[in-house]
Amino acid sequence: MAREHILLVEDEEDIRELVQLYLLKEGYRVSVAETGEQAFELAFKERFDLYVLDIMLPDVSGMELCQRIRAQSNAIILFLTCKRESDDIIAGLEIGADDYVIKPFNPKQLVARITGHLRRASLASASGAAVRKDCLPWRYGRLEMDFRNYELKVDGVVVPMYVKERQLLMFFIENPNQVFSVGQLYERIWGWDRESDERTVMVHVSNLRKKIEEYPGNPRYLVTVRGFGYKFCVK
């Protein structure tokens, strides 16, 4: 039985074919596209569990494609980029990407990263279904989390969340009033065996604050503990 379905969007033929080969060897279903328009056409017709998007595409940018995909899907999105500037990486995370890989990269490491993201998403879903099947919604202040379908409501209004935002919020709900460093959060949520990525964690915390806080610049729930990390405050 084929594993999850991945869409690989990369205009460089050598990279595209090499990554596709490694993914196929791991048993994944893989569709490929050379341009943003080809990718969006495929994304419109089929359901994918994870997208690998090159930022620099010949027609539309990977960032524009990410925004278009996010309008219809909460699947995991991973960027491939040659750009090392913080602004470009942060911009990609702010518009909905879950993670990124800098070129040049080892295809084995990329596949390991993809496998890790998919495994964590699957485990979170399975454990939630098994452990919280009969649980009542979690409520605190203006927040309500339905554990059965992972639906977040803020002031009674459903707020859409992406995969990593949901995993991050669930982790904080399950570990209230505890301080976690950036490194600890990166290990628990992203799980990649490398030095913690401060930018990835900070941007996702910022994105989550915009969804749950009335005043994101002065948060009530997800607070910064200066010099240590972050804490989800529930009294």
PDB file of all heavy atoms in Angstrom, residues 172-188:
ATOM      1  N   PHE A 172       1.239  23.108  24.146  1.00  0.00           N
ATOM      2  CA  PHE A 172       1.131  24.068  25.241  1.00  0.00           C
ATOM      3  C   PHE A 172      -0.072  23.754  26.129  1.00  0.00           C
ATOM      4  O   PHE A 172       0.007  23.867  27.360  1.00  0.00           O
ATOM      5  CB  PHE A 172       1.014  25.492  24.685  1.00  0.00           C
ATOM      6  CG  PHE A 172       2.340  26.107  24.317  1.00  0.00           C
ATOM      7  CD1 PHE A 172       2.572  26.551  23.022  1.00  0.00           C
ATOM      8  CD2 PHE A 172       3.348  26.237  25.250  1.00  0.00           C
ATOM      9  CE1 PHE A 172       3.794  27.133  22.685  1.00  0.00           C
ATOM     10  CE2 PHE A 172       4.563  26.807  24.920  1.00  0.00           C
ATOM     11  CZ  PHE A 172       4.788  27.252  23.637  1.00  0.00           C
ATOM     12  N   ILE A 173      -1.210  23.370  25.525  1.00  0.00           N
ATOM     13  CA  ILE A 173      -2.399  23.036  26.309  1.00  0.00           C
ATOM     14  C   ILE A 173      -2.107  21.854  27.239  1.00  0.00           C
ATOM     15  O   ILE A 173      -2.542  21.820  28.390  1.00  0.00           O
ATOM     16  CB  ILE A 173      -3.587  22.711  25.386  1.00  0.00           C
ATOM     17  CG1 ILE A 173      -4.099  24.000  24.718  1.00  0.00           C
ATOM     18  CG2 ILE A 173      -4.726  22.049  26.161  1.00  0.00           C
ATOM     19  CD1 ILE A 173      -5.196  23.765  23.689  1.00  0.00           C
ATOM     20  N   GLU A 174      -1.354  20.883  26.729  1.00  0.00           N
ATOM     21  CA  GLU A 174      -1.040  19.695  27.529  1.00  0.00           C
ATOM     22  C   GLU A 174       0.059  19.949  28.556  1.00  0.00           C
ATOM     23  O   GLU A 174       0.271  19.131  29.451  1.00  0.00           O
ATOM     24  CB  GLU A 174      -0.627  18.560  26.599  1.00  0.00           C
ATOM     25  CG  GLU A 174      -1.772  18.063  25.718  1.00  0.00           C
ATOM     26  CD  GLU A 174      -1.326  17.096  24.647  1.00  0.00           C
ATOM     27  OE1 GLU A 174      -0.095  16.950  24.455  1.00  0.00           O
ATOM     28  OE2 GLU A 174      -2.185  16.491  23.989  1.00  0.00           O
ATOM     29  N   ASN A 175       0.759  21.092  28.423  1.00  0.00           N
ATOM     30  CA  ASN A 175       1.850  21.424  29.357  1.00  0.00           C
ATOM     31  C   ASN A 175       1.712  22.878  29.821  1.00  0.00           C
ATOM     32  O   ASN A 175       2.584  23.712  29.555  1.00  0.00           O
ATOM     33  CB  ASN A 175       3.206  21.212  28.672  1.00  0.00           C
ATOM     34  CG  ASN A 175       3.439  19.774  28.269  1.00  0.00           C
ATOM     35  OD1 ASN A 175       3.858  18.949  29.065  1.00  0.00           O
ATOM     36  ND2 ASN A 175       3.155  19.472  27.000  1.00  0.00           N
ATOM     37  N   PRO A 176       0.620  23.190  30.513  1.00  0.00           N
ATOM     38  CA  PRO A 176       0.371  24.581  30.911  1.00  0.00           C
ATOM     39  C   PRO A 176       1.339  25.061  31.986  1.00  0.00           C
ATOM     40  O   PRO A 176       1.856  24.273  32.782  1.00  0.00           O
ATOM     41  CB  PRO A 176      -1.058  24.533  31.451  1.00  0.00           C
ATOM     42  CG  PRO A 176      -1.203  23.139  31.975  1.00  0.00           C
ATOM     43  CD  PRO A 176      -0.420  22.277  31.015  1.00  0.00           C
ATOM     44  N   ASN A 177       1.584  26.364  31.972  1.00  0.00           N
ATOM     45  CA  ASN A 177       2.355  27.045  33.018  1.00  0.00           C
ATOM     46  C   ASN A 177       3.783  26.524  33.162  1.00  0.00           C
ATOM     47  O   ASN A 177       4.400  26.667  34.221  1.00  0.00           O
ATOM     48  CB  ASN A 177       1.630  26.947  34.368  1.00  0.00           C
ATOM     49  CG  ASN A 177       0.229  27.511  34.306  1.00  0.00           C
ATOM     50  OD1 ASN A 177       0.014  28.585  33.756  1.00  0.00           O
ATOM     51  ND2 ASN A 177      -0.736  26.776  34.828  1.00  0.00           N
ATOM     52  N   GLN A 178       4.292  25.911  32.106  1.00  0.00           N
ATOM     53  CA  GLN A 178       5.677  25.456  32.097  1.00  0.00           C
ATOM     54  C   GLN A 178       6.466  26.245  31.054  1.00  0.00           C
ATOM     55  O   GLN A 178       5.952  26.548  29.985  1.00  0.00           O
ATOM     56  CB  GLN A 178       5.765  23.962  31.763  1.00  0.00           C
ATOM     57  CG  GLN A 178       5.045  23.061  32.751  1.00  0.00           C
ATOM     58  CD  GLN A 178       5.177  21.592  32.381  1.00  0.00           C
ATOM     59  OE1 GLN A 178       6.284  21.093  32.153  1.00  0.00           O
ATOM     60  NE2 GLN A 178       4.065  20.886  32.313  1.00  0.00           N
ATOM     61  N   VAL A 179       7.697  26.563  31.384  1.00  0.00           N
ATOM     62  CA  VAL A 179       8.544  27.321  30.463  1.00  0.00           C
ATOM     63  C   VAL A 179       9.334  26.356  29.594  1.00  0.00           C
ATOM     64  O   VAL A 179       9.956  25.416  30.102  1.00  0.00           O
ATOM     65  CB  VAL A 179       9.512  28.243  31.232  1.00  0.00           C
ATOM     66  CG1 VAL A 179      10.383  29.027  30.245  1.00  0.00           C
ATOM     67  CG2 VAL A 179       8.740  29.187  32.136  1.00  0.00           C
ATOM     68  N   PHE A 180       9.290  26.596  28.284  1.00  0.00           N
ATOM     69  CA  PHE A 180      10.035  25.774  27.330  1.00  0.00           C
ATOM     70  C   PHE A 180      10.941  26.666  26.494  1.00  0.00           C
ATOM     71  O   PHE A 180      10.518  27.716  26.010  1.00  0.00           O
ATOM     72  CB  PHE A 180       9.085  25.001  26.413  1.00  0.00           C
ATOM     73  CG  PHE A 180       8.259  23.969  27.124  1.00  0.00           C
ATOM     74  CD1 PHE A 180       6.984  24.279  27.569  1.00  0.00           C
ATOM     75  CD2 PHE A 180       8.771  22.710  27.379  1.00  0.00           C
ATOM     76  CE1 PHE A 180       6.217  23.348  28.241  1.00  0.00           C
ATOM     77  CE2 PHE A 180       8.015  21.761  28.047  1.00  0.00           C
ATOM     78  CZ  PHE A 180       6.727  22.081  28.482  1.00  0.00           C
ATOM     79  N   SER A 181      12.177  26.230  26.341  1.00  0.00           N
ATOM     80  CA  SER A 181      13.120  26.978  25.517  1.00  0.00           C
ATOM     81  C   SER A 181      12.792  26.779  24.047  1.00  0.00           C
ATOM     82  O   SER A 181      12.041  25.869  23.671  1.00  0.00           O
ATOM     83  CB  SER A 181      14.552  26.506  25.798  1.00  0.00           C
ATOM     84  OG  SER A 181      14.735  25.182  25.303  1.00  0.00           O
ATOM     85  N   VAL A 182      13.389  27.621  23.198  1.00  0.00           N
ATOM     86  CA  VAL A 182      13.215  27.480  21.765  1.00  0.00           C
ATOM     87  C   VAL A 182      13.686  26.098  21.312  1.00  0.00           C
ATOM     88  O   VAL A 182      13.033  25.436  20.508  1.00  0.00           O
ATOM     89  CB  VAL A 182      13.988  28.587  21.020  1.00  0.00           C
ATOM     90  CG1 VAL A 182      14.062  28.297  19.531  1.00  0.00           C
ATOM     91  CG2 VAL A 182      13.326  29.939  21.255  1.00  0.00           C
ATOM     92  N   GLY A 183      14.825  25.657  21.849  1.00  0.00           N
ATOM     93  CA  GLY A 183      15.351  24.354  21.485  1.00  0.00           C
ATOM     94  C   GLY A 183      14.415  23.221  21.854  1.00  0.00           C
ATOM     95  O   GLY A 183      14.233  22.271  21.085  1.00  0.00           O
ATOM     96  N   GLN A 184      13.817  23.303  23.034  1.00  0.00           N
ATOM     97  CA  GLN A 184      12.890  22.260  23.465  1.00  0.00           C
ATOM     98  C   GLN A 184      11.653  22.226  22.582  1.00  0.00           C
ATOM     99  O   GLN A 184      11.171  21.150  22.206  1.00  0.00           O
ATOM    100  CB  GLN A 184      12.488  22.495  24.921  1.00  0.00           C
ATOM    101  CG  GLN A 184      13.598  22.205  25.920  1.00  0.00           C
ATOM    102  CD  GLN A 184      13.228  22.605  27.322  1.00  0.00           C
ATOM    103  OE1 GLN A 184      12.615  23.654  27.559  1.00  0.00           O
ATOM    104  NE2 GLN A 184      13.588  21.757  28.289  1.00  0.00           N
ATOM    105  N   LEU A 185      11.136  23.393  22.222  1.00  0.00           N
ATOM    106  CA  LEU A 185       9.957  23.450  21.365  1.00  0.00           C
ATOM    107  C   LEU A 185      10.267  22.920  19.971  1.00  0.00           C
ATOM    108  O   LEU A 185       9.470  22.198  19.374  1.00  0.00           O
ATOM    109  CB  LEU A 185       9.426  24.882  21.283  1.00  0.00           C
ATOM    110  CG  LEU A 185       8.822  25.434  22.568  1.00  0.00           C
ATOM    111  CD1 LEU A 185       8.482  26.914  22.409  1.00  0.00           C
ATOM    112  CD2 LEU A 185       7.564  24.646  22.949  1.00  0.00           C
ATOM    113  N   TYR A 186      11.444  23.271  19.466  1.00  0.00           N
ATOM    114  CA  TYR A 186      11.821  22.800  18.134  1.00  0.00           C
ATOM    115  C   TYR A 186      11.936  21.268  18.120  1.00  0.00           C
ATOM    116  O   TYR A 186      11.456  20.598  17.199  1.00  0.00           O
ATOM    117  CB  TYR A 186      13.134  23.425  17.691  1.00  0.00           C
ATOM    118  CG  TYR A 186      13.417  23.193  16.222  1.00  0.00           C
ATOM    119  CD1 TYR A 186      12.901  24.058  15.257  1.00  0.00           C
ATOM    120  CD2 TYR A 186      14.163  22.111  15.803  1.00  0.00           C
ATOM    121  CE1 TYR A 186      13.125  23.834  13.912  1.00  0.00           C
ATOM    122  CE2 TYR A 186      14.397  21.875  14.453  1.00  0.00           C
ATOM    123  CZ  TYR A 186      13.884  22.749  13.521  1.00  0.00           C
ATOM    124  OH  TYR A 186      14.105  22.509  12.190  1.00  0.00           O
ATOM    125  N   GLU A 187      12.528  20.732  19.165  1.00  0.00           N
ATOM    126  CA  GLU A 187      12.689  19.277  19.242  1.00  0.00           C
ATOM    127  C   GLU A 187      11.344  18.580  19.361  1.00  0.00           C
ATOM    128  O   GLU A 187      11.102  17.552  18.715  1.00  0.00           O
ATOM    129  CB  GLU A 187      13.569  18.918  20.438  1.00  0.00           C
ATOM    130  CG  GLU A 187      13.789  17.419  20.601  1.00  0.00           C
ATOM    131  CD  GLU A 187      14.617  17.082  21.821  1.00  0.00           C
ATOM    132  OE1 GLU A 187      15.118  18.015  22.482  1.00  0.00           O
ATOM    133  OE2 GLU A 187      14.754  15.887  22.120  1.00  0.00           O
ATOM    134  N   ARG A 188      10.442  19.117  20.182  1.00  0.00           N
ATOM    135  CA  ARG A 188       9.160  18.461  20.426  1.00  0.00           C
ATOM    136  C   ARG A 188       8.225  18.562  19.220  1.00  0.00           C
ATOM    137  O   ARG A 188       7.496  17.617  18.923  1.00  0.00           O
ATOM    138  CB  ARG A 188       8.474  19.098  21.638  1.00  0.00           C
ATOM    139  CG  ARG A 188       9.256  19.008  22.933  1.00  0.00           C
ATOM    140  CD  ARG A 188       9.333  17.593  23.473  1.00  0.00           C
ATOM    141  NE  ARG A 188      10.016  17.557  24.750  1.00  0.00           N
ATOM    142  CZ  ARG A 188       9.400  17.690  25.932  1.00  0.00           C
ATOM    143  NH1 ARG A 188       8.092  17.845  25.957  1.00  0.00           N
ATOM    144  NH2 ARG A 188      10.084  17.660  27.046  1.00  0.00           N
TER     145      ARG A 188
END
